[in-house]
Amino acid sequence: MKQILILGVLAFLGWKIYQEKVMSHGARWGDYKVEKIGVSADGMETIKLSPTKGTAKSRHDSYQAFKCDGRQYCSQMTSREEAVFFTRNCPNTKMDGDGDGIPCENDSRF
C-alpha cells in the first residue's frame, strides 16, 4: 500500500512538472480550439488544435516587430518570442539544440 501511495505521489509530481514545462513556453490549453477529426479502428480519437483568434493575432502582431538580420544565438535574443520567430523563419539559427521546436530552453532570462 505504501509503495502504491509513493508511486501515485511521484506520478502526480511528474505530471505537474511536465505541465509547468509545457505551459512555461507560452502555450495554454485555452489558447487552442480542439476539433475532433475522427476515431481510428483501435478507438483512438484524432483531434486538431487550432489557435483561437486572439492568440493568432497577438502572435502575428509580435512577429511583425522582428526580422531576420543574421543573429543566430540565444544570447543575441531579447525575448523568447523573438527566438521563436528566428528559429521558425530565419536560416542558420543555433537556438534549438535538441530539435524539439522550443528555442533557448536553458536560457534563464526568458
Side-chain angles (χ1 to χ4, degrees):
M1 182 66 181
K2 191 175 188 179
Q3 291 174 337
I4 293 173
L5 181 61
I6 291 171
L7 183 62
V9 168
L10 289 175
F12 176 76
L13 289 175
W15 175 249
K16 289 307 240 179
I17 290 169
Y18 169 77
Q19 279 187 316
E20 184 176 312
K21 183 171 176 69
V22 169
M23 300 306 170
S24 70
H25 295 293
R28 294 185 304 268
W29 295 118
D31 289 344
Y32 296 92
K33 177 179 79 171
V34 179
E35 180 181 342
K36 184 176 172 182
I37 303 293
V39 179
S40 66
D42 61 356
M44 297 294 290
E45 288 186 359
T46 304
I47 62 169
K48 175 181 165 185
L49 291 177
S50 306
T52 59
K53 290 185 179 194
T55 303
K57 186 176 190 302
S58 66
R59 287 187 181 151
H60 180 69
D61 290 346
S62 66
Y63 281 0
Q64 296 300 314
F66 307 129
K67 67 177 187 174
C68 298
D69 57 11
R71 292 182 283 160
Q72 299 177 331
Y73 300 98
C74 292
S75 61
Q76 298 170 313
M77 301 294 124
T78 58
S79 67
R80 180 162 320 273
E81 291 79 19
E82 187 175 35
V84 169
F85 172 84
F86 271 76
T87 56
R88 289 184 181 167
N89 299 292
C90 305
N92 304 321
T93 59
K94 296 170 177 61
M95 294 180 271
D96 186 14
D98 59 3
D100 67 351
I102 303 170
C104 307
E105 291 173 282
N106 297 325
D107 195 322
S108 62
R109 296 177 301 148
F110 311 131

